[in-house]
Amino acid sequence: MKLKHLLIVGVLLIAGVAIAYGFRTLQQPDTTVQTLTTRWSSSAHADRSAEAFVHWDEEEPPLIPVDCAKCHSELGYLDYLGEDGSAAGSVDSEANPGTVVSCNTCHNESAHQKSTARFPSGMEITGLGSEALCMECHQGTRAGANVDRAVSGMDDDAVSEELGFINVHYAIAAATQMGDETQGGYQYAGKAYVARFEHTETMQTCTDCHDAHALTIEPQACSPCHLNVVDSEDFHDIRDKDTADFDGDGDSKEGVAGEIATLHQALYEAMQSYATHVTNKPVAYSEESYPYFFNDNNGDGEVNPEEANFGNQYKSWTPRLLRAAYNYQFVKKDPGAYAHNPEYALQLLYDSMEDLGQKAPVDMQGMLRP
């Protein structure tokens, strides 16, 4: 009987170990080169037809400028890292087009040692580890300091021919996430702004949430804390413990993405009100057409095809309107702001509206600043 019992116990232990090993294996991502390459090949980093990589193909000569090469070319990023033998921290020459963010861009000796990222504001963040690689490109190319320098010494509400729209650039997740630590947004004097968004202990870095190769987010990783999340369509409905009704629409249970969207639209309307009442030149925005802000010639509040041309770009900027437009674009160019740093986005939007409201009718009834 004892031998029989020992055999039974032994079988159960072996089965238990096998089940546990199998469960653990299922939880671990497949890290074979083939699998990682497959995941990467479906990502935006590998899209050779994307505007981010083909924008300069028709130029004469077809070269990616020094200011753009770091993030729009494998060759430029390797130059920035110093992998080409040049000094690290800058791009020294134009790059030939035709490359993407490939394996060698992030997997090289210099990249593996990198743990510091320098932002457009001039601020450096150290101790980042591998996410420093992500932050070097997902930070934009401008900061609030650029706006301050442009408007220095000018009357807040005087139109100046010297001013033009200042574009933060695109895919600026790191600038949003770091908040006051890197001051990517335009931060108004006398106001306090949140620093880096502290998510959770296990969800802090870029690759804690995003697959490092596919760039996707696995909804099941969010669902233990955000019970509403079943698939990616549910991300916009996520709401943290703060139940404040920031946008004043009476709904304190909507996802924080909804709060940001409402304030973002309200800021646009505030800018249009200011342009009409102060500059006497109505303004309208088009996400698809550069340089984004145009004269609203027919006053319908929108950019129609006849208005969306470079010659009709908006030129009646005042320092006050330019500051607000910068923040409007800042939030626009990070569609994931609700996850990266929602309070920072809400603060920028609220303060921009409040500032415009000093000179033009702006309805902020019921709105709250985080």
Side-chain angles (χ1 to χ4, degrees):
M1 292 292 292
K2 290 183 178 180
L3 178 60
K4 181 178 179 180
H5 287 159
L6 286 173
L7 288 172
I8 293 173
V9 170
V11 170
L12 290 174
L13 285 172
I14 293 171
V17 170
I19 292 171
Y21 177 79
F23 179 77
R24 182 175 61 82
T25 302
L26 287 172
Q27 300 307 304
Q28 298 298 318
D30 187 346
T31 56
T32 64
V33 173
Q34 182 178 2
T35 301
L36 295 180
T37 301
T38 299
R39 293 214 295 265
W40 167 83
S41 64
S42 64
S43 75
H45 283 173
D47 186 357
R48 294 180 183 275
S49 65
E51 177 67 14
F53 302 119
V54 303
H55 182 79
W56 300 270
D57 286 4
E58 303 303 320
E59 299 290 325
E60 289 294 340
L63 293 171
I64 304 175
V66 169
D67 291 343
C68 308
K70 180 181 78 168
C71 300
H72 295 276
S73 161
E74 174 189 336
L75 301 174
Y77 200 79
L78 294 177
D79 183 344
Y80 184 80
L81 292 173
E83 276 291 298
D84 62 350
S86 65
S90 64
V91 177
D92 301 297
S93 60
E94 298 167 314
N96 291 318
T99 61
V100 294
V101 182
S102 62
C103 304
N104 192 45
T105 308
C106 301
H107 295 289
N108 58 72
E109 184 177 354
S110 300
H112 293 166
Q113 294 175 354
K114 184 175 175 57
S115 63
T116 298
R118 186 171 68 228
F119 284 72
S121 61
M123 298 178 179
E124 287 191 349
I125 304 297
T126 61
L128 291 171
S130 61
E131 68 175 336
L133 297 173
C134 311
M135 289 189 172
E136 282 289 0
C137 285
H138 293 281
Q139 57 174 238
T141 59
R142 299 292 185 273
N146 293 98
V147 181
D148 263 338
R149 286 193 289 270
V151 304
S152 178
M154 295 183 180
D155 184 314
D156 273 352
D157 302 296
V159 174
S160 173
E161 295 181 355
E162 298 178 21
L163 295 178
F165 175 59
I166 297 175
N167 183 31
V168 67
H169 208 51
Y170 321 104
I172 59 166
T176 306
Q177 184 189 32
M178 299 309 296
D180 184 54
E181 292 188 44
T182 58
Q183 298 180 12
Y186 184 83
Q187 301 183 187
Y188 289 84
K191 298 284 189 176
Y193 293 87
V194 294
R196 177 171 184 164
F197 180 55
E198 301 291 339
H199 207 128
T200 68
E201 187 174 340
T202 58
M203 291 290 188
Q204 281 284 52
T205 69
C206 306
T207 54
D208 284 340
C209 296
H210 294 269
D211 184 290
H213 297 90
L215 311 182
T216 53
I217 301 173
E218 175 52 59
Q220 291 181 356
C222 307
S223 56
C225 294
H226 303 291
L227 302 180
N228 69 293
V229 176
V230 176
D231 54 42
S232 57
E233 294 181 358
D234 299 322
F235 290 152
H236 283 77
D237 296 325
I238 290 176
R239 181 80 188 204
D240 65 13
K241 62 180 181 294
D242 194 330
T243 58
D245 179 22
F246 297 111
D247 59 16
D249 66 356
D251 186 358
S252 60
K253 295 183 179 180
E254 67 176 330
V256 70
E259 301 274 6
I260 293 172
T262 304
L263 261 69
H264 193 248
Q265 176 61 28
L267 173 56
Y268 182 45
E269 294 170 2
M271 291 168 57
Q272 291 182 312
S273 174
Y274 177 92
T276 299
H277 288 85
V278 178
T279 72
N280 296 314
K281 285 286 187 180
V283 65
Y285 176 87
S286 172
E287 183 178 7
E288 293 79 22
S289 303
Y290 182 83
Y292 311 107
F293 288 96
F294 300 90
N295 293 305
D296 183 15
N297 298 320
N298 61 10
D300 66 353
E302 300 178 358
V303 177
N304 59 48
E306 292 74 26
E307 293 170 336
N309 64 81
F310 193 80
N312 190 49
Q313 65 179 290
Y314 195 76
K315 294 184 177 180
S316 300
W317 296 105
T318 69
R320 196 185 303 274
L321 183 58
L322 185 63
R323 293 191 292 255
Y326 178 86
N327 279 345
Y328 179 85
Q329 182 80 331
F330 185 93
V331 175
K332 184 73 171 179
K333 293 306 175 182
D334 184 8
Y338 66 91
H340 298 140
N341 198 335
E343 289 192 358
Y344 189 60
L346 289 167
Q347 288 174 340
L348 295 176
L349 295 171
Y350 185 97
D351 292 348
S352 299
M353 282 187 285
E354 185 179 61
D355 189 52
L356 292 171
Q358 294 185 39
K359 290 294 180 178
V362 175
D363 184 7
M364 299 182 67
Q365 185 174 358
M367 294 181 182
L368 298 174
R369 185 185 193 274

